[in-house]
Amino acid sequence: MNADLLKRAKSLGFSDRQIAHLTRRSEEAVRAERKSLGLVPSYRLVDTCAAEFEAYTPYYYSTYDRGDDEVVKTPKRKVMILGGGPNRIGQGIEFDYCCVHAAFALKEDGFETLMVNSNPETVSTDYDTSDKLFFEPLTLEDVLHIYEREGCWGAIAQFGGQTPLNLALGLQKNGVNIIGTSPQGIEIAEDRKLFAAMLDRLGIPQPPNGLAVSIEEALAAAHRLTYPVLVRPSFVLGGRAMQIVYSDAELTHYMKFAVEASPERPVLVDKFLEDATEVDVDCIADVGRHENPADATIVIGGMLEHIEFAGVHSGDAAMVLPPHTLPETVVETIRHYTHAMARELRVTGLMNVQYAVKGDKVYVLEVNPRASRTVPFVSKAIGIPLAKLAAKVMAGKTLKELGLTHEIWPTYWAVKESVFPFNKFQGQDIILSPEMRSTGEVMGLDQDLGIAYAKAQMAANSPLPLSGNVFISLGDAQKPSAAEIGRQFAALGFEIVSTGGTAAALEQAGLKVRRVFKLNEGARPNAVDLLKNKEIQLVINTPSGATPRADEVRIRTTAVMTGTPIMTTLSGAKGALMGIAALQKQGYAVRTIQEYH
């Protein structure tokens, strides 16, 4: 490598990391050599007027081709906000909401805001959101260039999801002032061993777990914990490659084909708590603003109880705010654990905690010292802009100064429901898992929980029927619940349609059932025929085992294609019953969100 070749490589778009890989050196060594040669990018304005008029929009991109730098220098204190990068399923657009609110809040406080994001399809990259926008990849190299070139006072890594969070430690090592929760606090929450040590110190339980970097270690951990276990790579986004496994064969297949395990990136093996209730907590804290953590203000913004049992990714689960089945003792325990962890991690800004509640025992599943994808929902439900307040806390204010010192417990119900793209992917099974699949979310608000749930289903384009035929087909594990669910649907005036084993269980309980043929029996009519003929108004279909049968998948995908509401969990079926009963009894009214606040 020589100076000319380095210049040429940079103008052709090679990153320091690629050059380091090709020349068998470290990225730091390449960066140092490049800087010693005075080789840094210049920033040009995106010409939004196609050269017809002079462009004033503050959009910039970097280039190593010679030319003038077009960034306008100002004397204001600058804060850089790191966005979420390119969107895909699993990268919640909710993070963009937080970035936008941060830009607005810091502008109000007199800062110049710099947005770094490479996704032109989001609000954070609109011309009027931030003072300057840099269309750059979210890599250490590109972010450092902008930070140094602009002479920023600080950078926010808490609002763009996992992508900027993974950069925090590297940025800090290179002199970037990460405002908010320190990268060391983030590291404790992300590193499994440090996290377990913290929970031990605080006396907070977590599900039994282990780490594995090989198939042998994974099997040993699974045998110690006993199946089922939840396996996932560390430092992932949207639960990617996360799976519940029930046998040695499944675990071996997962370790061989789903992940690349290494000492730097071990696979996490957790005991999976079956039939546990999952709870998401979003809180805001200003611990870093105080010498003594005991003086800090910590406020829980929202405690959301999942309708689906633990095991469904929090981005996919339907949730209720405030919790609708948790006893007061459990709520108090969750509150106590949340406050203790926020103080220990010295959280400055937002923190999200996921809990599993089994009986009266509360386990911590994971802690994210950042904005979570439920922040917009919680903010709208309680009428407090959490992301805005968090940005002001990071920039130096306390929650007392901002007037937020007490938890807001709504006197009405807010239900979050996820929206899925399954009708675009024909033949794709719609069963939810620990890997996120939703592409959006909606909200139902009402004084009655059943109506709030029904409104959320309407908003998700899956309105609950008030009468007609309900098709019920349950896996063996759920068959004992068939009679109770069937009885409640019959009481609401629905006719029950079913196949084989589920029909037998329903008939044994004295219920009248219209039997239809299973798909694999070859005779007609079957459930798919009835769905296509619009003779079924609601489907309750839970999976029969870890690997779903082909006929089940066909029923579920046909329900999606015909626009028939479908529930794939018992908790979803109970939610539907609650919603239909409330609609039949009183109907629903519409109020603006402002009326609730």
Side-chain angles (χ1 to χ4, degrees), residues 470-473 496-500 502-503 506 513-517:
V470 56
F471 175 76
I472 303 177
S473 173
I496 299 169
V497 181
S498 197
T499 58
T502 308
L506 292 163
V513 180
R514 176 184 168 191
R515 278 183 178 251
V516 291
F517 294 105

Side-chain angles (χ1 to χ4, degrees), residues 81-83 99-100 103 113-117 124 129-130 132-134:
I81 301 162
L82 301 180
C99 291
V100 170
T113 56
L114 277 58
M115 187 71 66
V116 182
N117 207 351
S124 69
T129 296
S130 54
K132 289 175 186 167
L133 166 67
F134 291 85

Side-chain angles (χ1 to χ4, degrees), residues 387-398:
K388 267 189 174 177
L389 296 180
K392 293 189 176 197
V393 165
M394 289 181 199
K397 290 200 168 150
T398 65

Side-chain angles (χ1 to χ4, degrees), residues 365-381:
L365 297 178
E366 64 177 290
V367 174
N368 291 305
R370 59 165 167 83
S372 75
R373 54 175 55 78
T374 45
V375 163
F377 172 83
V378 170
S379 299
K380 289 170 188 183

Side-chain angles (χ1 to χ4, degrees), residues 350-370:
L350 294 168
M351 177 179 87
N352 169 261
V353 191
Q354 285 165 26
Y355 293 98
V357 180
K358 186 141 185 173
D360 57 357
K361 186 147 189 190
V362 178
Y363 297 90
V364 172
L365 297 178
E366 64 177 290
V367 174
N368 291 305
R370 59 165 167 83

Side-chain angles (χ1 to χ4, degrees), residues 466-529:
L466 296 183
S467 60
N469 298 323
V470 56
F471 175 76
I472 303 177
S473 173
L474 304 179
D476 291 340
Q478 290 85 32
K479 284 210 172 68
S481 306
E484 184 54 33
I485 282 175
R487 204 172 281 119
Q488 289 187 50
F489 272 111
L492 292 171
F494 282 81
E495 287 186 34
I496 299 169
V497 181
S498 197
T499 58
T502 308
L506 292 163
E507 284 166 347
Q508 206 175 344
L511 290 162
K512 188 180 164 197
V513 180
R514 176 184 168 191
R515 278 183 178 251
V516 291
F517 294 105
K518 289 185 175 181
L519 271 66
N520 58 12
E521 288 169 357
R524 293 312 214 352
N526 57 42
V528 168
D529 296 331

Side-chain angles (χ1 to χ4, degrees), residues 10-291:
K10 293 308 288 183
S11 72
L12 286 169
F14 282 83
S15 66
D16 287 352
R17 196 167 176 180
Q18 286 171 310
I19 294 168
H21 173 70
L22 292 168
T23 57
R24 292 190 176 84
R25 287 188 294 170
S26 68
E27 187 179 347
E28 291 74 22
V30 173
R31 185 181 298 119
E33 184 184 345
R34 177 173 55 71
K35 282 186 163 179
S36 71
L37 295 168
L39 198 54
V40 290
S42 56
Y43 290 90
R44 303 277 182 79
L45 209 61
V46 174
D47 189 351
T48 49
C49 300
E52 282 191 68
F53 314 100
E54 190 174 350
Y56 292 107
T57 45
Y59 290 8
Y60 299 101
Y61 65 95
S62 66
T63 173
Y64 276 89
D65 293 339
R66 286 192 303 278
D68 295 333
D69 204 295
E70 295 177 342
V71 177
V72 180
K73 278 277 193 183
T74 63
K76 276 185 172 180
R77 271 209 303 182
K78 299 175 179 66
V79 174
M80 172 197 278
I81 301 162
L82 301 180
N87 264 4
R88 58 166 190 76
I89 293 175
Q91 173 77 30
I93 200 71
E94 299 88 345
F95 297 127
D96 204 66
Y97 165 101
C98 295
C99 291
V100 170
H101 275 237
F104 291 163
L106 293 171
K107 269 188 193 179
E108 282 172 19
D109 282 5
F111 289 93
E112 182 174 312
T113 56
L114 277 58
M115 187 71 66
V116 182
N117 207 351
S118 51
N119 182 3
E121 263 310 301
T122 54
V123 184
S124 69
T125 51
D126 280 359
Y127 71 93
D128 56 354
T129 296
S130 54
D131 294 306
K132 289 175 186 167
L133 166 67
F134 291 85
F135 274 122
E136 294 291 288
L138 285 150
T139 67
L140 188 65
E141 176 185 347
D142 294 286
V143 171
L144 278 175
H145 283 319
I146 301 163
Y147 188 86
E148 290 163 2
R149 167 72 186 71
E150 286 287 291
C152 295
W153 168 73
I156 292 179
Q158 218 182 79
F159 284 162
Q162 193 69 39
T163 309
L165 213 62
N166 289 348
L167 292 176
L169 212 56
L171 290 170
Q172 190 192 47
K173 281 177 187 163
N174 283 278
V176 172
N177 172 28
I178 300 284
I179 63 172
T181 307
S182 74
Q184 285 68 31
I186 294 168
E187 189 74 4
I188 291 169
E190 296 274 355
D191 183 295
R192 184 45 68 100
K193 285 178 182 165
L194 296 174
F195 182 56
M198 178 191 83
L199 293 182
D200 284 345
R201 262 198 317 281
L202 297 174
I204 296 174
Q206 68 176 141
N209 59 68
L211 286 171
V213 297
S214 66
I215 292 174
E216 293 72 33
E217 283 186 17
L219 289 168
H223 293 161
R224 176 171 59 81
L225 301 170
T226 69
Y227 290 107
V229 293
L230 180 72
V231 284
R232 56 192 165 136
S234 44
F235 287 91
V236 295
L237 177 75
R240 195 165 76 243
M242 202 187 275
Q243 200 175 315
I244 300 161
V245 298
Y246 294 85
S247 67
D248 284 0
E250 278 182 49
L251 183 56
T252 304
H253 185 271
Y254 176 86
M255 293 297 290
K256 269 186 186 165
F257 301 107
V259 287
E260 285 181 34
S262 69
E264 296 78 48
R265 293 198 165 246
V267 168
L268 313 176
V269 185
D270 293 341
K271 173 66 183 161
F272 177 61
L273 303 170
E274 288 187 286
D275 298 338
T277 301
E278 202 162 325
V279 180
D280 253 77
V281 175
D282 282 311
C283 88
I284 183 168
D286 60 9
V287 187
R289 302 272 74 87
H290 302 271
E291 283 294 315

